[in-house]
Amino acid sequence: MSSPIPFAPPPRPASTEAPSLPDSERKPLTKKEMAADHPTWCPGCGDFSVLALYYKLIEKRRLWHEKVTTVAGIGCSSRFPYFVQAHGAHFIHGRALPFASGISLSRSDLHVFAFSGDGDAFSIGGNHFNHTARKNIKMTLVVMDNWVYGLTKKQTSPTSPIGFKSKTDLWGAIDQPINPIKQALAAGATFIARTTHTNPAHLLRMMEAAMDHDGFSFIQCLSECVEFYPAAFDASNPRKGGQFLEIPEDHDVTDEAAAYRLAAEPFPGRFGIFHRVQRPTKNALEAKIVAEARARVPGLEPWQILQKTFDRMK
């Protein structure tokens, strides 16, 4: 005979909230309704453009406060959650993705967006980037890559090019920089794109495509640090004499080898979707396991299942 269950949670009080309108009757959020606090970035920082397009995405796709979660680690870019009126968290350095993974796996109905810089995502958070990609956890990660640690006033980052002089490499960086697109491919990411803050229309298009992807979607967004690495991306900006070359229309986004070849092109390279394939998400695979487990104990509340599990451990 099984042990008696010693604990039961108190009944929930009846809700006093008015019934909400169906989504079809709700108005899209405006920028004013989405904005929270005033961004503290330096004037001219590329991150302003990413934030503005994030507001635009939420408005255009008719997302509402309770359906959006904004998570970030540490760095200039990672101040994002302070500026967005929605659920979110400014988490510890390099750990935005594990935190966002927990949210995504427990609430697959939410749109989970994570924002990082090149140091947060590829240095201290490098392992988390790899594992979130290979597990194909449903979320969108935007890395605002400025090729430098800007918040701490100019140290070499994982994407700084060889020869870049900083406070940690006075004679110029000597380490091979990470290629974010190649790293994402090697880690098994199912959606990989590249864009720049200087092309708002393209940036919005990439964010929309990433949001629609069922799985882990990664965007490398070049975002200039005007204080500690000005003009880093001029070669990709037509207004500064550079070239913005999109990925050819005949590129097969399911061809991983072709994506590697595009990723190997020298800077400024190409912009657009390098790779996009469908693979079961961890969200769906875990949900299947949970459903099968629940089917074996019909009629029990989650806390009762937990209690029975504890009882078996005695």
Side-chain angles (χ1 to χ4, degrees), residues 4 59 78 84 88 94 124 126 134 144 161-162 166 176 188 211 215 218-219 247 298:
E59 178 186 359
S78 298
V84 181
I124 191 168
R134 76 178 176 84
M144 288 119 91
I162 291 174
S166 70
Q176 181 68 27
M211 193 192 85
F218 162 60
I219 299 174
I247 291 174

Side-chain angles (χ1 to χ4, degrees), residues 55-224:
Y55 292 149
K56 185 71 177 177
L57 174 76
I58 291 171
E59 178 186 359
K60 183 179 179 183
R61 302 304 292 270
R62 299 179 70 88
L63 306 180
W64 289 282
H65 295 298
E66 73 275 13
K67 289 295 184 184
V68 178
T69 301
T70 310
V71 181
I74 297 295
C76 291
S77 60
S78 298
R79 299 186 64 80
F80 241 70
Y82 290 118
F83 311 140
V84 181
Q85 194 74 263
H87 298 300
H90 189 189
F91 208 51
I92 52 181
H93 202 0
R95 309 294 184 250
L97 292 183
F99 191 80
S101 296
I103 296 170
S104 176
L105 292 172
S106 59
R107 287 287 304 272
S108 287
D109 59 311
L110 298 180
H111 296 279
V112 180
F113 297 90
F115 293 89
S116 285
D118 35 305
D120 189 62
F122 304 128
S123 183
I124 191 168
N127 245 353
H128 296 307
F129 176 82
N130 291 338
H131 293 294
T132 309
R134 76 178 176 84
K135 293 176 182 177
N136 200 27
I137 299 173
K138 185 171 174 55
M139 71 173 78
T140 294
L141 168 67
V142 180
V143 175
M144 288 119 91
D145 187 358
N146 58 15
W147 289 2
V148 66
Y149 282 96
L151 186 67
T152 46
K153 306 185 187 304
K154 198 175 184 178
Q155 292 82 33
T156 301
S157 94
T159 54
S160 300
I162 291 174
F164 173 65
K165 294 182 178 178
S166 70
K167 291 177 180 174
T168 47
D169 282 294
L170 300 178
W171 296 272
I174 57 174
D175 298 325
Q176 181 68 27
I178 283 175
N179 181 319
I181 303 298
K182 285 184 178 179
Q183 178 154 341
L185 284 165
T190 53
F191 179 100
I192 304 167
R194 186 166 177 252
T195 187
T196 169
H197 80 99
T198 58
N199 192 329
H202 190 268
L203 171 54
L204 180 60
R205 187 148 46 93
M206 293 301 103
M207 292 178 82
E208 285 193 271
M211 193 192 85
D212 290 339
H213 180 69
D214 188 21
F216 179 72
S217 52
F218 162 60
I219 299 174
Q220 178 198 14
C221 180
L222 303 184
S223 181
E224 182 178 342

Side-chain angles (χ1 to χ4, degrees), residues 3-4 6 307 309-314:
S3 304
Q307 183 66 62
T309 302
F310 288 152
D311 290 343
R312 285 197 297 271
M313 295 178 182
K314 292 179 180 176

